PDB file of all heavy atoms in Angstrom:
ATOM      1  N   LEU Q  59       0.822  -1.195  -0.012  1.00 97.00           N
ATOM      2  CA  LEU Q  59       0.008   0.020   0.012  1.00 97.00           C
ATOM      3  C   LEU Q  59       0.862   1.238   0.007  1.00 97.00           C
ATOM      4  O   LEU Q  59       0.538   2.225  -0.700  1.00 97.00           O
ATOM      5  CB  LEU Q  59      -0.946   0.008   1.210  1.00 97.00           C
ATOM      6  CG  LEU Q  59      -2.054  -1.065   1.131  1.00 97.00           C
ATOM      7  CD1 LEU Q  59      -2.861  -1.051   2.452  1.00 97.00           C
ATOM      8  CD2 LEU Q  59      -2.962  -0.823  -0.039  1.00 97.00           C
ATOM      9  N   LEU Q  60       1.965   1.239   0.781  1.00 96.00           N
ATOM     10  CA  LEU Q  60       2.823   2.417   0.765  1.00 96.00           C
ATOM     11  C   LEU Q  60       3.500   2.609  -0.565  1.00 96.00           C
ATOM     12  O   LEU Q  60       3.623   3.773  -1.047  1.00 96.00           O
ATOM     13  CB  LEU Q  60       3.932   2.224   1.848  1.00 96.00           C
ATOM     14  CG  LEU Q  60       3.479   2.510   3.256  1.00 96.00           C
ATOM     15  CD1 LEU Q  60       4.595   2.102   4.252  1.00 96.00           C
ATOM     16  CD2 LEU Q  60       3.112   3.956   3.473  1.00 96.00           C
ATOM     17  N   ALA Q  61       3.921   1.572  -1.228  1.00 96.00           N
ATOM     18  CA  ALA Q  61       4.518   1.654  -2.562  1.00 96.00           C
ATOM     19  C   ALA Q  61       3.506   2.195  -3.609  1.00 96.00           C
ATOM     20  O   ALA Q  61       3.854   3.090  -4.400  1.00 96.00           O
ATOM     21  CB  ALA Q  61       5.056   0.298  -2.968  1.00 96.00           C
ATOM     22  N   LEU Q  62       2.270   1.714  -3.544  1.00 96.00           N
ATOM     23  CA  LEU Q  62       1.273   2.227  -4.444  1.00 96.00           C
ATOM     24  C   LEU Q  62       0.937   3.676  -4.165  1.00 96.00           C
ATOM     25  O   LEU Q  62       0.709   4.491  -5.080  1.00 96.00           O
ATOM     26  CB  LEU Q  62       0.011   1.343  -4.393  1.00 96.00           C
ATOM     27  CG  LEU Q  62       0.147  -0.045  -4.965  1.00 96.00           C
ATOM     28  CD1 LEU Q  62      -1.133  -0.867  -4.686  1.00 96.00           C
ATOM     29  CD2 LEU Q  62       0.459  -0.030  -6.442  1.00 96.00           C
ATOM     30  N   GLY Q  63       0.916   4.021  -2.889  1.00 95.00           N
ATOM     31  CA  GLY Q  63       0.668   5.424  -2.502  1.00 95.00           C
ATOM     32  C   GLY Q  63       1.812   6.331  -2.986  1.00 95.00           C
ATOM     33  O   GLY Q  63       1.554   7.444  -3.433  1.00 95.00           O
ATOM     34  N   LEU Q  64       3.069   5.837  -2.911  1.00 93.00           N
ATOM     35  CA  LEU Q  64       4.164   6.603  -3.379  1.00 93.00           C
ATOM     36  C   LEU Q  64       4.068   6.881  -4.894  1.00 93.00           C
ATOM     37  O   LEU Q  64       4.290   8.025  -5.338  1.00 93.00           O
ATOM     38  CB  LEU Q  64       5.496   5.896  -3.094  1.00 93.00           C
ATOM     39  CG  LEU Q  64       6.774   6.497  -3.706  1.00 93.00           C
ATOM     40  CD1 LEU Q  64       6.983   7.897  -3.165  1.00 93.00           C
ATOM     41  CD2 LEU Q  64       7.976   5.615  -3.407  1.00 93.00           C
ATOM     42  N   VAL Q  65       3.659   5.899  -5.636  1.00 93.00           N
ATOM     43  CA  VAL Q  65       3.470   6.064  -7.069  1.00 93.00           C
ATOM     44  C   VAL Q  65       2.389   7.078  -7.335  1.00 93.00           C
ATOM     45  O   VAL Q  65       2.525   7.988  -8.165  1.00 93.00           O
ATOM     46  CB  VAL Q  65       3.148   4.688  -7.752  1.00 93.00           C
ATOM     47  CG1 VAL Q  65       2.720   4.903  -9.222  1.00 93.00           C
ATOM     48  CG2 VAL Q  65       4.353   3.778  -7.689  1.00 93.00           C
ATOM     49  N   ALA Q  66       1.251   6.927  -6.635  1.00 93.00           N
ATOM     50  CA  ALA Q  66       0.115   7.852  -6.855  1.00 93.00           C
ATOM     51  C   ALA Q  66       0.476   9.293  -6.505  1.00 93.00           C
ATOM     52  O   ALA Q  66       0.146  10.229  -7.244  1.00 93.00           O
ATOM     53  CB  ALA Q  66      -1.084   7.382  -6.034  1.00 93.00           C
ATOM     54  N   VAL Q  67       1.145   9.479  -5.358  1.00 91.00           N
ATOM     55  CA  VAL Q  67       1.493  10.827  -4.937  1.00 91.00           C
ATOM     56  C   VAL Q  67       2.549  11.438  -5.900  1.00 91.00           C
ATOM     57  O   VAL Q  67       2.463  12.620  -6.213  1.00 91.00           O
ATOM     58  CB  VAL Q  67       1.988  10.819  -3.460  1.00 91.00           C
ATOM     59  CG1 VAL Q  67       2.657  12.101  -3.076  1.00 91.00           C
ATOM     60  CG2 VAL Q  67       0.860  10.527  -2.539  1.00 91.00           C
ATOM     61  N   THR Q  68       3.501  10.643  -6.298  1.00 86.00           N
ATOM     62  CA  THR Q  68       4.527  11.163  -7.197  1.00 86.00           C
ATOM     63  C   THR Q  68       3.907  11.592  -8.532  1.00 86.00           C
ATOM     64  O   THR Q  68       4.347  12.593  -9.119  1.00 86.00           O
ATOM     65  CB  THR Q  68       5.611  10.090  -7.465  1.00 86.00           C
ATOM     66  OG1 THR Q  68       6.150   9.700  -6.176  1.00 86.00           O
ATOM     67  CG2 THR Q  68       6.712  10.619  -8.349  1.00 86.00           C
ATOM     68  N   LEU Q  69       2.948  10.871  -9.008  1.00 87.00           N
ATOM     69  CA  LEU Q  69       2.323  11.202 -10.300  1.00 87.00           C
ATOM     70  C   LEU Q  69       1.376  12.388 -10.193  1.00 87.00           C
ATOM     71  O   LEU Q  69       1.187  13.074 -11.178  1.00 87.00           O
ATOM     72  CB  LEU Q  69       1.589   9.994 -10.871  1.00 87.00           C
ATOM     73  CG  LEU Q  69       2.461   8.834 -11.354  1.00 87.00           C
ATOM     74  CD1 LEU Q  69       1.583   7.672 -11.762  1.00 87.00           C
ATOM     75  CD2 LEU Q  69       3.360   9.269 -12.460  1.00 87.00           C
ATOM     76  N   THR Q  70       0.753  12.625  -9.051  1.00 87.00           N
ATOM     77  CA  THR Q  70      -0.271  13.649  -8.961  1.00 87.00           C
ATOM     78  C   THR Q  70       0.230  14.924  -8.265  1.00 87.00           C
ATOM     79  O   THR Q  70      -0.423  15.968  -8.434  1.00 87.00           O
ATOM     80  CB  THR Q  70      -1.455  13.152  -8.190  1.00 87.00           C
ATOM     81  OG1 THR Q  70      -1.080  12.713  -6.891  1.00 87.00           O
ATOM     82  CG2 THR Q  70      -2.113  11.957  -8.922  1.00 87.00           C
ATOM     83  N   GLU Q  71       1.302  14.902  -7.578  1.00 76.00           N
ATOM     84  CA  GLU Q  71       1.765  16.064  -6.820  1.00 76.00           C
ATOM     85  C   GLU Q  71       2.437  17.014  -7.794  1.00 76.00           C
ATOM     86  O   GLU Q  71       3.424  16.743  -8.417  1.00 76.00           O
ATOM     87  CB  GLU Q  71       2.788  15.636  -5.765  1.00 76.00           C
ATOM     88  CG  GLU Q  71       3.158  16.732  -4.800  1.00 76.00           C
ATOM     89  CD  GLU Q  71       2.071  17.082  -3.825  1.00 76.00           C
ATOM     90  OE1 GLU Q  71       1.206  16.228  -3.568  1.00 76.00           O
ATOM     91  OE2 GLU Q  71       2.083  18.195  -3.321  1.00 76.00           O
ATOM     92  N   ARG Q  72       1.899  18.249  -7.900  1.00 71.00           N
ATOM     93  CA  ARG Q  72       2.445  19.204  -8.827  1.00 71.00           C
ATOM     94  C   ARG Q  72       2.949  20.512  -8.192  1.00 71.00           C
ATOM     95  O   ARG Q  72       3.842  21.116  -8.680  1.00 71.00           O
ATOM     96  CB  ARG Q  72       1.399  19.554  -9.907  1.00 71.00           C
ATOM     97  CG  ARG Q  72       1.047  18.406 -10.761  1.00 71.00           C
ATOM     98  CD  ARG Q  72       2.199  18.051 -11.667  1.00 71.00           C
ATOM     99  NE  ARG Q  72       1.946  16.786 -12.346  1.00 71.00           N
ATOM    100  CZ  ARG Q  72       2.801  15.814 -12.416  1.00 71.00           C
ATOM    101  NH1 ARG Q  72       3.975  15.919 -11.887  1.00 71.00           N
ATOM    102  NH2 ARG Q  72       2.482  14.725 -13.075  1.00 71.00           N
ATOM    103  N   GLU Q  73       2.279  20.941  -7.136  1.00 73.00           N
ATOM    104  CA  GLU Q  73       2.662  22.196  -6.505  1.00 73.00           C
ATOM    105  C   GLU Q  73       3.972  22.118  -5.731  1.00 73.00           C
ATOM    106  O   GLU Q  73       4.871  22.925  -5.891  1.00 73.00           O
ATOM    107  CB  GLU Q  73       1.554  22.636  -5.534  1.00 73.00           C
ATOM    108  CG  GLU Q  73       0.293  23.119  -6.252  1.00 73.00           C
ATOM    109  CD  GLU Q  73       0.543  24.318  -7.090  1.00 73.00           C
ATOM    110  OE1 GLU Q  73       1.243  25.250  -6.625  1.00 73.00           O
ATOM    111  OE2 GLU Q  73       0.035  24.368  -8.192  1.00 73.00           O
ATOM    112  N   THR Q  74       4.103  21.097  -4.946  1.00 73.00           N
ATOM    113  CA  THR Q  74       5.283  20.913  -4.080  1.00 73.00           C
ATOM    114  C   THR Q  74       5.538  19.435  -3.935  1.00 73.00           C
ATOM    115  O   THR Q  74       4.614  18.633  -3.846  1.00 73.00           O
ATOM    116  CB  THR Q  74       5.115  21.610  -2.734  1.00 73.00           C
ATOM    117  OG1 THR Q  74       6.233  21.302  -1.955  1.00 73.00           O
ATOM    118  CG2 THR Q  74       3.859  21.161  -2.028  1.00 73.00           C
ATOM    119  N   PRO Q  75       6.791  19.009  -3.861  1.00 76.00           N
ATOM    120  CA  PRO Q  75       7.081  17.570  -3.720  1.00 76.00           C
ATOM    121  C   PRO Q  75       7.085  17.079  -2.298  1.00 76.00           C
ATOM    122  O   PRO Q  75       7.602  15.991  -2.039  1.00 76.00           O
ATOM    123  CB  PRO Q  75       8.491  17.467  -4.364  1.00 76.00           C
ATOM    124  CG  PRO Q  75       9.103  18.797  -4.111  1.00 76.00           C
ATOM    125  CD  PRO Q  75       8.008  19.794  -4.168  1.00 76.00           C
ATOM    126  N   VAL Q  76       6.502  17.807  -1.372  1.00 83.00           N
ATOM    127  CA  VAL Q  76       6.562  17.456   0.047  1.00 83.00           C
ATOM    128  C   VAL Q  76       5.903  16.082   0.283  1.00 83.00           C
ATOM    129  O   VAL Q  76       6.494  15.230   0.941  1.00 83.00           O
ATOM    130  CB  VAL Q  76       5.899  18.521   0.903  1.00 83.00           C
ATOM    131  CG1 VAL Q  76       5.791  18.069   2.372  1.00 83.00           C
ATOM    132  CG2 VAL Q  76       6.686  19.815   0.820  1.00 83.00           C
ATOM    133  N   LEU Q  77       4.703  15.903  -0.211  1.00 89.00           N
ATOM    134  CA  LEU Q  77       4.030  14.611  -0.017  1.00 89.00           C
ATOM    135  C   LEU Q  77       4.762  13.428  -0.621  1.00 89.00           C
ATOM    136  O   LEU Q  77       4.802  12.360  -0.038  1.00 89.00           O
ATOM    137  CB  LEU Q  77       2.592  14.658  -0.509  1.00 89.00           C
ATOM    138  CG  LEU Q  77       1.651  15.537   0.286  1.00 89.00           C
ATOM    139  CD1 LEU Q  77       0.258  15.558  -0.368  1.00 89.00           C
ATOM    140  CD2 LEU Q  77       1.540  15.104   1.746  1.00 89.00           C
ATOM    141  N   ALA Q  78       5.346  13.723  -1.758  1.00 87.00           N
ATOM    142  CA  ALA Q  78       6.117  12.625  -2.432  1.00 87.00           C
ATOM    143  C   ALA Q  78       7.358  12.265  -1.636  1.00 87.00           C
ATOM    144  O   ALA Q  78       7.721  11.069  -1.528  1.00 87.00           O
ATOM    145  CB  ALA Q  78       6.511  13.035  -3.832  1.00 87.00           C
ATOM    146  N   VAL Q  79       7.992  13.228  -1.013  1.00 88.00           N
ATOM    147  CA  VAL Q  79       9.173  12.956  -0.201  1.00 88.00           C
ATOM    148  C   VAL Q  79       8.759  12.202   1.055  1.00 88.00           C
ATOM    149  O   VAL Q  79       9.427  11.254   1.462  1.00 88.00           O
ATOM    150  CB  VAL Q  79       9.931  14.286   0.129  1.00 88.00           C
ATOM    151  CG1 VAL Q  79      11.005  14.036   1.191  1.00 88.00           C
ATOM    152  CG2 VAL Q  79      10.515  14.891  -1.127  1.00 88.00           C
ATOM    153  N   VAL Q  80       7.722  12.625   1.676  1.00 92.00           N
ATOM    154  CA  VAL Q  80       7.216  11.939   2.874  1.00 92.00           C
ATOM    155  C   VAL Q  80       6.852  10.504   2.545  1.00 92.00           C
ATOM    156  O   VAL Q  80       7.248   9.564   3.277  1.00 92.00           O
ATOM    157  CB  VAL Q  80       6.018  12.670   3.486  1.00 92.00           C
ATOM    158  CG1 VAL Q  80       5.373  11.856   4.581  1.00 92.00           C
ATOM    159  CG2 VAL Q  80       6.449  14.005   4.057  1.00 92.00           C
ATOM    160  N   ALA Q  81       6.167  10.291   1.422  1.00 93.00           N
ATOM    161  CA  ALA Q  81       5.793   8.927   1.014  1.00 93.00           C
ATOM    162  C   ALA Q  81       7.034   8.099   0.699  1.00 93.00           C
ATOM    163  O   ALA Q  81       7.098   6.882   1.059  1.00 93.00           O
ATOM    164  CB  ALA Q  81       4.865   9.000  -0.190  1.00 93.00           C
ATOM    165  N   ALA Q  82       8.042   8.692   0.110  1.00 93.00           N
ATOM    166  CA  ALA Q  82       9.285   7.972  -0.182  1.00 93.00           C
ATOM    167  C   ALA Q  82      10.011   7.594   1.079  1.00 93.00           C
ATOM    168  O   ALA Q  82      10.552   6.467   1.189  1.00 93.00           O
ATOM    169  CB  ALA Q  82      10.179   8.809  -1.098  1.00 93.00           C
ATOM    170  N   VAL Q  83      10.087   8.485   2.024  1.00 94.00           N
ATOM    171  CA  VAL Q  83      10.733   8.165   3.297  1.00 94.00           C
ATOM    172  C   VAL Q  83      10.024   7.044   4.014  1.00 94.00           C
ATOM    173  O   VAL Q  83      10.635   6.100   4.546  1.00 94.00           O
ATOM    174  CB  VAL Q  83      10.880   9.439   4.198  1.00 94.00           C
ATOM    175  CG1 VAL Q  83      11.322   9.133   5.594  1.00 94.00           C
ATOM    176  CG2 VAL Q  83      11.833  10.417   3.536  1.00 94.00           C
ATOM    177  N   LEU Q  84       8.716   7.140   4.086  1.00 96.00           N
ATOM    178  CA  LEU Q  84       7.899   6.112   4.773  1.00 96.00           C
ATOM    179  C   LEU Q  84       8.067   4.742   4.065  1.00 96.00           C
ATOM    180  O   LEU Q  84       8.237   3.732   4.744  1.00 96.00           O
ATOM    181  CB  LEU Q  84       6.436   6.502   4.807  1.00 96.00           C
ATOM    182  CG  LEU Q  84       6.066   7.591   5.800  1.00 96.00           C
ATOM    183  CD1 LEU Q  84       4.589   7.980   5.618  1.00 96.00           C
ATOM    184  CD2 LEU Q  84       6.328   7.173   7.229  1.00 96.00           C
ATOM    185  N   THR Q  85       8.014   4.737   2.742  1.00 96.00           N
ATOM    186  CA  THR Q  85       8.153   3.519   2.005  1.00 96.00           C
ATOM    187  C   THR Q  85       9.541   2.887   2.168  1.00 96.00           C
ATOM    188  O   THR Q  85       9.647   1.684   2.334  1.00 96.00           O
ATOM    189  CB  THR Q  85       7.831   3.737   0.491  1.00 96.00           C
ATOM    190  OG1 THR Q  85       6.535   4.332   0.404  1.00 96.00           O
ATOM    191  CG2 THR Q  85       7.833   2.441  -0.271  1.00 96.00           C
ATOM    192  N   THR Q  86      10.576   3.732   2.121  1.00 96.00           N
ATOM    193  CA  THR Q  86      11.916   3.218   2.288  1.00 96.00           C
ATOM    194  C   THR Q  86      12.101   2.633   3.669  1.00 96.00           C
ATOM    195  O   THR Q  86      12.682   1.499   3.839  1.00 96.00           O
ATOM    196  CB  THR Q  86      12.959   4.341   2.063  1.00 96.00           C
ATOM    197  OG1 THR Q  86      12.746   4.901   0.779  1.00 96.00           O
ATOM    198  CG2 THR Q  86      14.368   3.848   2.165  1.00 96.00           C
ATOM    199  N   THR Q  87      11.631   3.343   4.682  1.00 96.00           N
ATOM    200  CA  THR Q  87      11.796   2.852   6.067  1.00 96.00           C
ATOM    201  C   THR Q  87      10.981   1.570   6.264  1.00 96.00           C
ATOM    202  O   THR Q  87      11.492   0.593   6.864  1.00 96.00           O
ATOM    203  CB  THR Q  87      11.302   3.943   7.017  1.00 96.00           C
ATOM    204  OG1 THR Q  87      12.036   5.099   6.787  1.00 96.00           O
ATOM    205  CG2 THR Q  87      11.525   3.482   8.460  1.00 96.00           C
ATOM    206  N   TRP Q  88       9.777   1.530   5.780  1.00 97.00           N
ATOM    207  CA  TRP Q  88       8.956   0.344   5.955  1.00 97.00           C
ATOM    208  C   TRP Q  88       9.503  -0.846   5.133  1.00 97.00           C
ATOM    209  O   TRP Q  88       9.353  -1.991   5.576  1.00 97.00           O
ATOM    210  CB  TRP Q  88       7.503   0.601   5.597  1.00 97.00           C
ATOM    211  CG  TRP Q  88       6.578  -0.449   6.096  1.00 97.00           C
ATOM    212  CD1 TRP Q  88       6.006  -1.425   5.392  1.00 97.00           C
ATOM    213  CD2 TRP Q  88       6.205  -0.675   7.445  1.00 97.00           C
ATOM    214  NE1 TRP Q  88       5.273  -2.252   6.225  1.00 97.00           N
ATOM    215  CE2 TRP Q  88       5.358  -1.790   7.493  1.00 97.00           C
ATOM    216  CE3 TRP Q  88       6.475  -0.025   8.648  1.00 97.00           C
ATOM    217  CZ2 TRP Q  88       4.830  -2.291   8.646  1.00 97.00           C
ATOM    218  CZ3 TRP Q  88       5.920  -0.459   9.795  1.00 97.00           C
ATOM    219  CH2 TRP Q  88       5.111  -1.641   9.791  1.00 97.00           C
ATOM    220  N   ALA Q  89      10.122  -0.564   3.998  1.00 97.00           N
ATOM    221  CA  ALA Q  89      10.772  -1.661   3.227  1.00 97.00           C
ATOM    222  C   ALA Q  89      11.885  -2.278   4.031  1.00 97.00           C
ATOM    223  O   ALA Q  89      12.046  -3.500   3.995  1.00 97.00           O
ATOM    224  CB  ALA Q  89      11.231  -1.158   1.864  1.00 97.00           C
ATOM    225  N   LEU Q  90      12.665  -1.480   4.700  1.00 96.00           N
ATOM    226  CA  LEU Q  90      13.734  -1.998   5.531  1.00 96.00           C
ATOM    227  C   LEU Q  90      13.208  -2.850   6.669  1.00 96.00           C
ATOM    228  O   LEU Q  90      13.668  -3.976   6.906  1.00 96.00           O
ATOM    229  CB  LEU Q  90      14.596  -0.868   6.103  1.00 96.00           C
ATOM    230  CG  LEU Q  90      15.748  -1.266   7.018  1.00 96.00           C
ATOM    231  CD1 LEU Q  90      16.754  -2.120   6.254  1.00 96.00           C
ATOM    232  CD2 LEU Q  90      16.364  -0.064   7.596  1.00 96.00           C
ATOM    233  N   ILE Q  91      12.140  -2.347   7.319  1.00 96.00           N
ATOM    234  CA  ILE Q  91      11.514  -3.151   8.399  1.00 96.00           C
ATOM    235  C   ILE Q  91      10.945  -4.458   7.836  1.00 96.00           C
ATOM    236  O   ILE Q  91      11.086  -5.508   8.451  1.00 96.00           O
ATOM    237  CB  ILE Q  91      10.416  -2.285   9.082  1.00 96.00           C
ATOM    238  CG1 ILE Q  91      11.080  -1.122   9.825  1.00 96.00           C
ATOM    239  CG2 ILE Q  91       9.569  -3.126  10.025  1.00 96.00           C
ATOM    240  CD1 ILE Q  91      10.074  -0.088  10.306  1.00 96.00           C
ATOM    241  N   THR Q  92      10.315  -4.377   6.686  1.00 96.00           N
ATOM    242  CA  THR Q  92       9.689  -5.575   6.098  1.00 96.00           C
ATOM    243  C   THR Q  92      10.783  -6.585   5.722  1.00 96.00           C
ATOM    244  O   THR Q  92      10.602  -7.765   5.923  1.00 96.00           O
ATOM    245  CB  THR Q  92       8.899  -5.161   4.839  1.00 96.00           C
ATOM    246  OG1 THR Q  92       7.900  -4.227   5.177  1.00 96.00           O
ATOM    247  CG2 THR Q  92       8.212  -6.373   4.187  1.00 96.00           C
ATOM    248  N   PHE Q  93      11.903  -6.117   5.186  1.00 95.00           N
ATOM    249  CA  PHE Q  93      12.992  -7.013   4.818  1.00 95.00           C
ATOM    250  C   PHE Q  93      13.523  -7.729   6.064  1.00 95.00           C
ATOM    251  O   PHE Q  93      13.685  -8.952   6.021  1.00 95.00           O
ATOM    252  CB  PHE Q  93      14.136  -6.256   4.114  1.00 95.00           C
ATOM    253  CG  PHE Q  93      15.296  -7.159   3.825  1.00 95.00           C
ATOM    254  CD1 PHE Q  93      15.253  -7.981   2.693  1.00 95.00           C
ATOM    255  CD2 PHE Q  93      16.391  -7.204   4.627  1.00 95.00           C
ATOM    256  CE1 PHE Q  93      16.313  -8.803   2.403  1.00 95.00           C
ATOM    257  CE2 PHE Q  93      17.466  -8.020   4.372  1.00 95.00           C
ATOM    258  CZ  PHE Q  93      17.416  -8.843   3.249  1.00 95.00           C
ATOM    259  N   ILE Q  94      13.712  -7.016   7.132  1.00 95.00           N
ATOM    260  CA  ILE Q  94      14.186  -7.623   8.346  1.00 95.00           C
ATOM    261  C   ILE Q  94      13.195  -8.679   8.888  1.00 95.00           C
ATOM    262  O   ILE Q  94      13.580  -9.804   9.230  1.00 95.00           O
ATOM    263  CB  ILE Q  94      14.518  -6.566   9.439  1.00 95.00           C
ATOM    264  CG1 ILE Q  94      15.693  -5.742   8.990  1.00 95.00           C
ATOM    265  CG2 ILE Q  94      14.766  -7.221  10.793  1.00 95.00           C
ATOM    266  CD1 ILE Q  94      15.930  -4.485   9.806  1.00 95.00           C
ATOM    267  N   VAL Q  95      11.920  -8.318   8.926  1.00 92.00           N
ATOM    268  CA  VAL Q  95      10.881  -9.263   9.432  1.00 92.00           C
ATOM    269  C   VAL Q  95      10.799 -10.504   8.527  1.00 92.00           C
ATOM    270  O   VAL Q  95      10.766 -11.660   9.001  1.00 92.00           O
ATOM    271  CB  VAL Q  95       9.496  -8.534   9.495  1.00 92.00           C
ATOM    272  CG1 VAL Q  95       8.391  -9.520   9.691  1.00 92.00           C
ATOM    273  CG2 VAL Q  95       9.500  -7.510  10.617  1.00 92.00           C
ATOM    274  N   LEU Q  96      10.804 -10.311   7.231  1.00 90.00           N
ATOM    275  CA  LEU Q  96      10.702 -11.412   6.296  1.00 90.00           C
ATOM    276  C   LEU Q  96      11.966 -12.283   6.332  1.00 90.00           C
ATOM    277  O   LEU Q  96      11.907 -13.526   6.303  1.00 90.00           O
ATOM    278  CB  LEU Q  96      10.446 -10.883   4.862  1.00 90.00           C
ATOM    279  CG  LEU Q  96       9.979 -11.907   3.837  1.00 90.00           C
ATOM    280  CD1 LEU Q  96       8.699 -12.581   4.289  1.00 90.00           C
ATOM    281  CD2 LEU Q  96       9.775 -11.203   2.529  1.00 90.00           C
ATOM    282  N   PHE Q  97      13.115 -11.637   6.422  1.00 88.00           N
ATOM    283  CA  PHE Q  97      14.381 -12.400   6.492  1.00 88.00           C
ATOM    284  C   PHE Q  97      14.426 -13.258   7.758  1.00 88.00           C
ATOM    285  O   PHE Q  97      14.767 -14.433   7.687  1.00 88.00           O
ATOM    286  CB  PHE Q  97      15.578 -11.429   6.465  1.00 88.00           C
ATOM    287  CG  PHE Q  97      16.915 -12.135   6.430  1.00 88.00           C
ATOM    288  CD1 PHE Q  97      17.406 -12.643   5.245  1.00 88.00           C
ATOM    289  CD2 PHE Q  97      17.619 -12.274   7.596  1.00 88.00           C
ATOM    290  CE1 PHE Q  97      18.660 -13.280   5.237  1.00 88.00           C
ATOM    291  CE2 PHE Q  97      18.876 -12.948   7.595  1.00 88.00           C
ATOM    292  CZ  PHE Q  97      19.357 -13.419   6.412  1.00 88.00           C
TER     293      PHE Q  97
END
């Protein structure tokens, strides 16, 4: 869901990239957590 949200926000955000940056940070952090849990 975070990855899909990142794609959606990146494609639709035009005024400022703030939401895209927040979504990227959340997705990157959660991907690291997910990798550790899955590993």
Side-chain angles (χ1 to χ4, degrees):
L59 291 175
L60 283 172
L62 291 174
L64 173 61
V65 170
V67 167
T68 302
L69 291 175
T70 60
E71 190 73 23
R72 295 291 170 227
E73 289 296 318
T74 175
V76 172
L77 289 178
V79 170
V80 170
V83 169
L84 287 174
T85 305
T86 304
T87 305
W88 195 256
L90 178 63
I91 292 168
T92 303
F93 178 80
I94 293 169
V95 167
L96 194 58
F97 184 82

